[in-house]
């Protein structure tokens, strides 16, 4: 049986990830598969629904303190967000915020493996993601909201905005993070502009390593359960940041408005534009 020091985080299911991040014996799942709260929109389209709609919500403790861990199952519908799964995540975050307001300091960790909104539930999924964004902004006033993107799905679409709203973001080298997924960009701009099958190019633009060096995430870790847990604990201990990344308008807006869009984007251009050292 592998120990935390050598266990892959990526190979764990969403439920296993949530259980492993919580203190032993404290995992309690809310609205789990036996509740059979499923999307009503998939079966009419010939898609087999999943009993938990691909969203695991667990309460427990991290380092002896109350915590909620929300984990998206990337193997179900590419981790896409629909009405039910989105409502489960938003409600968990709202519950944690209410706990904090009532004097129960509750931590929050989001395990993000998602392609964004579920197209079969377009408007309902988009509304749910908006609720998630609002819930993160509310909760992060009281406690750090920590996001983890490990692989293999990555984090795209509206949920990449959720990741950006997190107080701290942890990624592996195998992770990917971007507003639009590679296939979407290729479809809209053409294969000459963006070849979604060119894996080295994709990771050079949206991979965990380049996102870390560009300052969009706070920790780059190996595919290791122990390293993920250690960094979660370190960021909880660090507390709410003085300024959240999404509030740092004075840094980002001049760079974006001054960028020459005629040049081809590349890893070098991105790292030069958003250099971590600029904020040292």
């Amino acid at each position: 049986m592998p120990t935390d020091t050598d266990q892959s985080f990526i190979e764990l299911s969403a439920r296993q990830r949530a259980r492993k991040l919580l203190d032993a014996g404290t995992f309690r799942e809310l609205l789990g598969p036996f509740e059979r709260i499923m999307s009503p929109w998939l079966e009419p389209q010939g898609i087999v629904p999943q009993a938990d709609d691909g969203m695991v919500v667990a309460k427990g403790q991290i380092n002896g303190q109350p915590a909620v861990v929300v984990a998206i199952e990337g193997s179900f519908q590419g981790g896409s967000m629909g009405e039910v799964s989105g409502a489960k995540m938003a409600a968990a975050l709202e519950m944690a915020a209410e706990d904090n307001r009532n004097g129960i300091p509750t931590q929050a960790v989001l395990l993000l493996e998602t392609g964004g909104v579920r197209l079969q539930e377009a408007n309902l999924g988009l509304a749910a993601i908006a609720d998630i964004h609002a819930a993160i902004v509310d909760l992060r006033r009281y406690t750090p909201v920590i996001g983890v993107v490990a692989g293999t799905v990555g984090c795209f679409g509206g949920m990449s905005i959720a990741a950006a709203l997190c107080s701290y973001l942890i990624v592996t080298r195998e992770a990917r993070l971007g507003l639009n997924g590679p296939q979407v960009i290729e479809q809209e701009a053409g294969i000459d502009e963006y070849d979604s099958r060119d894996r080295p190019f994709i990771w050079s633009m949206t991979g965990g390593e380049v996102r870390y060096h560009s300052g969009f995430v706070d920790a780059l870790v190996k595919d290791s359960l122990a390293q993920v847990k250690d960094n979660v604990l370190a960021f909880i201990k660090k507390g709410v940041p003085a300024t959240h990344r999404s509030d740092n308008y004075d840094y980002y807006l001049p760079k974006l408005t001054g960028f020459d869009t005629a040049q081809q984007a590349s890893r070098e251009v991105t790292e030069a534009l958003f250099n971590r050292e600029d904020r040292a």
Side-chain angles (χ1 to χ4, degrees):
M1 190 76 170
T3 64
D4 286 358
T5 56
D6 61 8
Q7 187 166 14
S8 166
F9 190 76
I10 293 174
E11 291 177 0
L12 298 174
S13 69
R15 189 163 284 102
Q16 290 170 328
R17 291 178 182 185
R19 186 183 294 275
K20 290 284 189 179
L21 285 182
L22 290 166
D23 295 349
T26 68
F27 175 94
R28 179 167 65 91
E29 187 166 355
L30 308 181
L31 299 179
F34 292 109
E35 303 289 341
R36 301 192 66 79
I37 298 178
M38 300 180 284
S39 168
W41 310 108
L42 299 182
E43 195 169 11
Q45 300 176 64
I47 300 169
V48 178
Q50 187 160 300
D52 58 9
D53 206 43
M55 182 67 67
V56 177
V57 177
K59 289 197 76 175
Q61 294 182 353
I62 294 179
N63 205 25
Q65 298 299 314
V68 61
V69 178
V70 185
I72 303 172
E73 182 52 75
S75 66
F76 178 66
Q77 292 289 299
S80 56
M81 304 292 292
E83 178 186 24
V84 172
S85 58
K88 287 174 69 173
M89 177 179 277
L93 294 166
E94 290 164 1
M95 177 179 63
E98 194 62 26
D99 281 349
N100 278 279
R101 279 189 281 270
N102 289 330
I104 305 170
T106 302
Q107 317 298 333
V109 182
L110 309 182
L111 308 181
L112 305 169
E113 296 297 331
T114 171
V117 69
R118 190 177 296 165
L119 296 182
Q120 299 92 336
E121 304 183 37
N123 290 340
L124 295 170
L126 288 169
I129 289 176
D131 287 342
I132 291 167
H133 294 168
I136 292 173
V137 172
D138 180 27
L139 177 58
R140 72 184 191 179
R141 295 181 297 164
Y142 308 105
T143 187
V145 178
I146 300 167
V148 181
V149 185
T152 56
V153 174
C155 185
F156 294 101
M159 290 305 291
S160 71
I161 300 175
L165 291 171
C166 287
S167 308
Y168 304 105
L169 197 55
I170 302 166
V171 299
T172 67
R173 186 170 178 269
E174 293 83 357
R176 290 175 296 156
L177 175 65
L179 185 58
N180 288 321
Q183 290 86 353
V184 174
I185 299 174
E186 179 183 302
Q187 178 179 312
E188 296 301 318
I191 194 170
D192 291 337
E193 177 72 20
Y194 208 93
D195 185 352
S196 64
R197 293 167 297 180
D198 186 346
R199 293 173 64 85
F201 173 71
I202 298 305
W203 260 264
S204 76
M205 295 295 294
T206 62
E209 191 173 3
V210 69
R211 290 310 194 196
Y212 172 74
H213 289 301
S214 300
F216 294 115
V217 303
D218 304 282
L220 176 67
V221 302
K222 294 181 180 178
D223 175 23
S224 159
L225 171 60
Q227 286 201 15
V228 172
K229 289 178 69 172
D230 287 347
N231 277 270
V232 167
L233 288 171
F235 287 132
I236 288 175
K237 184 177 181 180
K238 195 170 183 180
V240 177
T243 302
H244 282 89
R245 194 169 12 246
S246 59
D247 290 334
N248 199 358
Y249 320 117
D250 292 340
Y251 173 79
Y252 287 106
L253 286 177
K255 289 181 175 292
L256 291 171
T257 55
F259 179 69
D260 179 10
T261 57
Q263 62 179 313
Q264 175 64 44
S266 66
R267 173 176 181 150
E268 292 73 24
V269 168
T270 302
E271 288 187 349
L273 185 63
F274 300 107
N275 191 318
R276 297 183 71 90
E277 304 306 318
D278 288 354
R279 281 156 285 175

